[in-house]
Amino acid sequence: MSVNLGIPAVRSSGEGNLFAHEKFQSAAKRELKNEQLRANLRHATHTIRDKRLNVVSELPDWEELRESGSRIKENVMARLPELLEQFEAAFTARGGVIHWANDATEANAIVTSLIRATGETEVVKVKSMATQEIGLNEHLESLGINAIETDLAELIVQLGHDRPSHILVPAIHKNRTQIRDIFRAEIPNASPDLTDNPKELAATARAYLREKFLNAKVAISGANFGIAETGTLGVVESEGNGRMCLTLPETLITVMGIEKILPRWEDLGVFMQLLPRSSTGERMNPYSSLWTGKNGPDGPQNIHLVMLDNGRTRALADKNGRSALHCIRCSACMNVCPVYERTGGHAYGSTYPGPIGAILSPLLTGITAEENSSLPYASSLCGACFDACPVKINIPEILVDLRAQDVEAQHSVRKAPTEMDVLMKGASWALSSGTRLKFLEKGLPAGRLLAGKDQRISWLPGIAGGWTSSRDIPAPPQSSFRDQWAQREKFQKSQGSQQSQQSQASQKPTGKQGE
Amino acid sequence: MRIALFSTCIVDAMYPSTARATVEILERLGHTVIFPKGQACCGQMHVNSGYFKDALPVVRNHVAAFLQEDYDAAVAPSGSCVASVKHQHPMLANRCGDDGLAADAEEVGAKTYELSQLLTDVLGVTNAAEQLGSYFPHKVTYHPSCHGMRLLRLGDRQQNLLQTVDGLEFAPLPEADQCCGFGGTFSIKNSDVSTAMLNDKADAIEATGASLCAGGDASCLMHIGGGLSRRGSQARTVHFAEILASTREKPLVIPEAQGGVVVLNGGTR
């Protein structure tokens, strides 16, 4: 069946694991205290960051590739309904079955019924952001279906009863010793003498997973790409666990966000260059699996695809935020983000952390959902993410736009202005006229009194206390520049001299600091 | 050339010596500097905090103040304010459907330069010692502010000018391209994360052994300097314009550290 995905009048919001349940500020404050986390994150992000820079700098046409990736995605967003129908026709013609899910609840229900139809109670999983977004594992578990993550890092997180904190490196917040402890406790046949040697750890996980692969009848995956022209799905991975899941079981169920469509087969050429280099800092990833429906008697015989909206059409309708849907989940933005590097992924609440999460989560759910309005403020707007993004998502610009949406939304429901509102209103009045600013600057000497003997201000009340908690403010000068300039002009006039003579910026040097 | 100085609100009110240094450099090169009196602020604090409605009058004022003056180029000693004038002003005008303001903002933005941009690209200054007589016999490190680096693509213009100052010992800053954590209201709203970033920046500065960290953005310098001051560090921050303006005859005097006070006295210039 084909579905009209023209922008509906009432767009449903994303649900599932897309929410900050507490304000980013307070979550970050807590995470900052975790020294181990910060050390791990710093080491890991800097390592990946450097690798990415190396492999990106060796391509002379990297900027052109980024531009191509960005244009292709723009084109996809502009033509999404027709491309989805084209994909559906091609995928179905090759024996695939397609299902449309408006939100997380629908997607989970579809996947559950497909597994139930096989009679299985254990399934293997390929690492997938979409299934994390909808909370599929938790949903299946509540119904007595055990979904086993086969990506090593996802397995570590799952066995540790933890949450991923990074799109690419879900266990980035764990070190070798912590992983050894998890394996000892959770893997049935793990040696009690297991050390934290990476080789040993990998061998232990491998033995455990092999047995799962060989017995699995059902696999669940996400998809990096869906090619409209051919109806092909693609998964790009490093470990080969994905290849096992995609080829060994009888039933393969894929969950993919509707924005992952690429128009043509040849577009892969662009994205297969952009993704591995941006993501793992590799020239090419070890395993790229592509499948187009059913392939005769070989491989899975029941091929399903759940097409997930979950707030994507909502994001698509936001003309300033739309390009967030270009995201190919490479994680380059979080690896260069100074905020993410210090807080880690859990502070963002949502499945999508870091700079992309700070825009994507509120775009999918709406700015007023839970504490998602705090996410766009989780950035100093340094712009490192925009430079790193392989599909040129202008994250800083969208962050600012979402802040404006938040301010609007707050003002529409609030009667009394906040301290920030008052500050901004006052500053707007003061800073929209040279005359008014000049008048207010007459108060600078009073600020010098406030600074006192040691010529610094170390405490301020209210929200300004957020500054003085860790920073001083120097004593202000005796007079503003514009006053000094006016004095100079007066002096020059009285001398009958013209400008452009020797500069005498201030004619009454007092020799005092801050002059 | 006739050059209009945009002092920026923070330099005007807190760091007049930076504006004086800017005037000094330009006049030394033989150019005429004017100061449009209507100017106040670029409005980036409002824009970046999402207060678009409150930003609008600030933007209108800036555009009007510079539109009515006659000049060849406008200059500001601040990368982030120039980026705001060039990028945010037209964006905001288009947002509120004011085509006239958008056109005016584009016109003002096209003629606005950050100081190192103007010196390097327009006025052809490639050697500060030779062309400006800059002399500053101190060990200096340098932090490239984010907006100058990423929005204006200043590259190494500021650093080149500093490195060609007579007597200056340049100490490269480790991880220089990392944000200092200022981010406008981010420093207040997410004070803890901002402080963590600031402390790493301060560590890096102290690791260089330099007595001064130069930069091109007064607000970032105030942030870094305020952090160094709070730590009781001996290192201080200084705007690169003040270093360029310093000569053998009129050297920039660095006052004795008084609890790490960051304001530098431009001497009796």
Side-chain angles (χ1 to χ4, degrees), chain A residues 401 421 441 466 472 484 488, chain B residues 12 20 27 51 95 191 229:
Chain A
D401 194 78
D421 293 342
E441 283 167 340
D472 293 339
Q484 295 171 14
R488 176 175 111 146
Chain B
D12 178 31
R20 291 206 306 270
E27 290 184 343
Y51 283 77
R95 271 285 166 110
S191 180
S229 164

Side-chain angles (χ1 to χ4, degrees), chain A residues 316-336:
Chain A
L316 190 62
D318 185 322
K319 72 176 192 302
N320 299 307
R322 185 175 297 164
S323 60
L325 295 174
H326 296 186
C327 175
I328 55 174
R329 310 287 190 263
C330 74
S331 77
C333 64
M334 58 199 69
N335 295 331
V336 297

Side-chain angles (χ1 to χ4, degrees), chain A residues 165-185:
Chain A
S165 66
H166 189 286
I167 288 179
L168 173 78
V169 205
I172 199 168
H173 56 290
K174 295 279 185 217
N175 63 21
R176 290 191 306 201
T177 316
Q178 292 168 310
I179 293 166
R180 181 205 58 195
D181 295 343
I182 291 170
F183 281 7
R184 273 189 188 167

Side-chain angles (χ1 to χ4, degrees), chain A residues 115-357:
Chain A
I115 298 172
R116 284 261 161 88
T118 66
E120 294 295 311
T121 54
E122 191 169 87
V123 301
V124 286
K125 278 193 74 206
V126 188
K127 179 170 167 358
S128 140
M129 300 309 298
T131 57
Q132 278 177 25
E133 176 189 328
I134 60 176
L136 181 64
N137 290 11
E138 301 90 315
H139 177 79
L140 294 177
E141 197 180 346
S142 73
L143 299 170
I145 299 168
N146 189 16
I148 297 156
E149 293 290 351
T150 62
D151 171 271
L152 182 52
E154 291 285 3
L155 178 69
I156 291 164
V157 169
Q158 186 175 43
L159 293 175
H161 309 287
D162 194 0
R163 288 186 307 143
S165 66
H166 189 286
I167 288 179
L168 173 78
V169 205
I172 199 168
H173 56 290
K174 295 279 185 217
N175 63 21
R176 290 191 306 201
T177 316
Q178 292 168 310
I179 293 166
R180 181 205 58 195
D181 295 343
I182 291 170
F183 281 7
R184 273 189 188 167
E186 302 287 339
I187 292 186
N189 299 323
S191 158
D193 305 323
L194 183 65
T195 72
D196 63 4
N197 174 316
K199 265 194 175 148
E200 265 186 65
L201 293 172
T204 304
R206 197 165 188 235
Y208 171 76
L209 288 172
R210 282 280 146 145
E211 185 251 332
K212 299 291 179 192
F213 289 134
L214 294 169
N215 292 310
K217 296 278 183 286
V218 180
I220 299 172
S221 86
N224 291 96
F225 316 108
I227 299 161
E229 181 181 44
T230 56
T232 303
L233 291 171
V235 162
V236 171
E237 42 129 3
S238 296
E239 296 169 17
N241 61 301
R243 179 71 54 86
M244 296 276 195
C245 294
L246 298 169
T247 50
L248 292 171
E250 291 163 13
T251 301
L252 172 58
I253 305 164
T254 301
V255 181
M256 179 176 85
I258 53 173
E259 83 286 12
K260 295 283 188 153
I261 294 285
L262 292 179
R264 303 164 308 174
W265 179 265
E266 69 186 72
D267 296 330
L268 269 180
V270 172
F271 287 88
M272 290 306 292
Q273 290 179 84
L274 288 173
L275 182 55
R277 286 177 196 260
S278 300
S279 183
T280 48
E282 292 164 297
R283 294 187 182 96
M284 182 49 69
N285 54 290
Y287 295 88
S288 303
S289 306
L290 298 162
W291 69 103
T292 310
K294 213 170 82 169
N295 186 22
D298 203 12
Q301 295 301 293
N302 311 307
I303 307 250
H304 294 273
L305 171 65
V306 179
M307 280 282 202
L308 179 70
D309 184 328
N310 206 34
R312 284 158 178 76
T313 47
R314 187 192 177 102
L316 190 62
D318 185 322
K319 72 176 192 302
N320 299 307
R322 185 175 297 164
S323 60
L325 295 174
H326 296 186
C327 175
I328 55 174
R329 310 287 190 263
C330 74
S331 77
C333 64
M334 58 199 69
N335 295 331
V336 297
C337 178
V339 176
Y340 175 88
E341 183 193 322
R342 287 162 181 87
T343 65
H346 294 162
Y348 296 78
S350 160
T351 291
Y352 303 108
I356 188 64

Side-chain angles (χ1 to χ4, degrees), chain B residues 69-88:
Chain B
E69 300 280 352
D70 174 36
Y71 57 90
D72 303 310
V75 69
S78 162
S80 64
C81 307
V82 171
S84 171
V85 167
K86 282 181 167 301
H87 306 306
Q88 293 185 331

